[in-house]
């Protein structure tokens, strides 16, 4: 492959590096040649150069006020639990003669809090720690988040079984001189019973996603670490098994062996409990629907295999586990 175009750059294997003298706004082409059955095939991919030095950073928060959640405590059982909110960082790139191009850079940005005793930031989310305010931001852009003494109450738990996630990456059309390169990434999954997607095999598994709805209309994600418990109904106790994985990260479910079919809007119950109080009182709960539809067996077959070598024409034997000479088979025929 070779790289052509104004400004230049270097190509090593499959890695291209923009030259230090390359100007923003130029378009370079990768030209790949391949020998297919004696015929040379070529493909060209244009690459637009954007100058990050001309970018503008904007930080936004889903909510700028985080309230205390009634009855809940932090992971250390030392203080009240407060709401969380998503923090997004967007970079708008500009280049001479072209339209501005905005990119979500939250996953690569370093987001900080001016006062971690009031608000902490991790994984693109800001969490209240104590009443007060802090500025959260990146790249010089800041947003003020206030932790309020006001209290919101958990009203219910919304949970579902999710299985079969898929990830699809769809590149855009080849960009022109006035068109930026874009792409879309889609993650899809089946919500068991919610859209009538059934679990159709023993061992079928997935994750349990649960959120507590709060009295101000917001949601709080529930995990085993902050008090999520999953309890199957009596009818589904021998159909679906649910257990927390890696101690505190999430709940996994699977269809048990010899399970019967089941269709119930209340197959399991998701409970948010106060792990810090004796007796673990329930803060909120909600049903989890499930649909298990296993195929009906129409035939059966049995095959016997042997781990011992067999001589041609001999009858093979399967030794008992206690056989002191498991590799000795019957003598060959006379």
């Amino acid at each position: 492959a070779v790289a052509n175009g104004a400004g230049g750059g270097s190509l090593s294997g499959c890695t291209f590096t923009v030259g230090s003298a390359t100007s923003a706004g130029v378009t370079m082409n990768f030209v790949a040649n391949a020998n297919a059955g004696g015929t040379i095939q070529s493909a060209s991919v244009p690459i637009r150069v954007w100058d990050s030095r001309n970018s503008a950073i904007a930080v936004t928060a889903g909510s700028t006020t985080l309230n205390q959640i009634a009855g809940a405590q932090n992971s250390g059982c030392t203080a009240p639990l407060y709401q969380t909110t998503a923090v997004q960082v967007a970079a708008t790139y500009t280049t001479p003669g072209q339209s501005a191009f905005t990119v979500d850079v939250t996953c690569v940005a370093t987001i900080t809090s001016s006062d971690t005793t009031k608000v902490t930031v991790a994984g693109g989310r800001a969490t209240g720690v104590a009443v007060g305010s802090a500025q959260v931001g990146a790249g010089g852009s800041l947003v003020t988040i206030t932790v309020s003494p006001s209290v919101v109450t958990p009203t219910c738990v919304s949970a579902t079984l999710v299985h079969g996630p898929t990830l699809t990456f769809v590149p855009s059309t080849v960009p022109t001189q006035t068109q930026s390169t874009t792409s879309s990434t889609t993650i899809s999954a089946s919500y068991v019973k919610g859209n009538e997607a059934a679990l159709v095999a023993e061992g079928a598994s997935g994750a349990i996603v649960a959120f507590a709805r709060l009295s101000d209309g917001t949601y709080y994600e529930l995990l085993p670490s902050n008090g999520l418990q999953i309890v199957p109904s009596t009818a589904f106790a021998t159909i679906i098994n649910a257990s927390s994985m890696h101690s505190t990260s999430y709940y996994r479910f699977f269809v048990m062996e010899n399970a019967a079919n089941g269709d119930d809007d209340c197959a399991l119950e998701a409970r948010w409990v106060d792990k810090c109080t004796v007796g673990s009182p329930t803060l909120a709960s909600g049903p989890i629907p499930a649909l298990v539809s296993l195929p009906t067996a129409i035939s059966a077959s049995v095959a016997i295999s042997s781990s011992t070598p067999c001589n041609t024409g001999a009858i093979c034997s399967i030794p008992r586990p206690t056989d002191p000479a498991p590799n000795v088979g019957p003598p060959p025929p006379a």
Side-chain angles (χ1 to χ4, degrees):
V2 296
N4 303 316
S10 61
L11 183 67
S12 175
C14 295
T15 302
F16 176 73
T17 303
V18 177
S20 59
T22 303
S23 301
V26 303
T27 298
M28 292 175 286
N29 288 319
F30 288 116
V31 180
N33 299 319
N35 190 328
T39 302
I40 300 299
Q41 302 289 342
S42 298
S44 176
V45 180
I47 301 296
R48 174 76 51 74
V49 178
W50 296 87
D51 188 352
S52 61
R53 293 170 297 182
N54 295 328
S55 64
I57 301 295
V59 176
T60 56
S63 174
T64 56
T65 300
L66 305 177
N67 298 309
Q68 180 183 335
I69 301 175
Q73 301 181 59
N74 64 9
S75 58
C77 300
T78 58
L81 183 69
Y82 293 89
Q83 293 174 299
T84 70
T85 189
V87 177
Q88 183 184 46
V89 182
T92 301
Y93 294 88
T94 58
T95 192
Q98 305 295 332
S99 300
F101 182 56
T102 300
V103 181
D104 186 334
V105 295
T106 306
C107 61
V108 295
T110 300
I111 308 174
T112 60
S113 169
S114 64
D115 189 348
T116 56
T117 65
K118 303 297 187 253
V119 178
T120 58
V121 183
R125 298 195 68 82
T127 301
V129 176
V131 173
S133 298
Q135 289 187 316
V136 171
S141 177
L142 300 171
V143 59
T144 299
I145 295 179
T146 299
V147 181
S148 169
S150 299
V151 177
V152 292
T153 304
T155 59
C156 66
V157 173
S158 177
T160 188
L161 309 180
V162 182
H163 75 121
T166 59
L167 176 64
T168 305
F169 178 74
V170 182
S172 69
T173 56
V174 175
T176 64
Q177 186 67 22
T178 58
Q179 178 186 17
S180 61
T181 303
T182 60
S183 62
S184 62
T185 303
T186 302
I187 298 177
S188 60
S190 297
Y191 294 88
V192 179
K193 180 67 177 173
N195 62 356
E196 295 305 318
L199 297 167
V200 296
E202 294 178 4
S205 63
I208 298 178
V209 179
F211 291 87
R213 181 178 175 86
L214 305 177
S215 56
D216 63 350
T218 62
Y219 288 85
Y220 186 85
E221 184 179 11
L222 299 180
L223 302 167
S225 58
N226 58 31
L228 175 64
Q229 293 183 355
I230 304 297
V231 181
S233 66
T234 302
F236 268 74
T238 57
I239 299 178
I240 288 181
N241 178 283
S243 57
S244 58
M245 302 299 294
H246 307 294
S247 300
T248 59
S249 57
Y250 68 99
Y251 262 94
R252 174 182 177 270
F253 74 89
F254 66 89
V255 178
M256 302 168 68
E257 293 184 6
N258 302 317
N261 289 333
D263 182 358
D264 194 343
D265 288 336
C266 301
L268 302 97
E269 183 182 27
R271 299 174 183 171
W272 186 17
V273 303
D274 177 9
K275 298 174 62 176
C276 300
T277 301
V278 176
S280 300
T282 299
L283 303 177
S285 63
I288 306 177
L291 172 59
V292 177
S293 181
L294 304 177
T296 301
I298 59 175
S299 64
S301 62
V302 177
I304 298 177
S305 62
S306 173
S307 60
T308 60
C310 299
N311 296 320
T312 302
I315 298 176
C316 293
S317 65
I318 302 176
R320 297 188 307 273
T322 56
D323 192 339
N327 293 321
V328 178

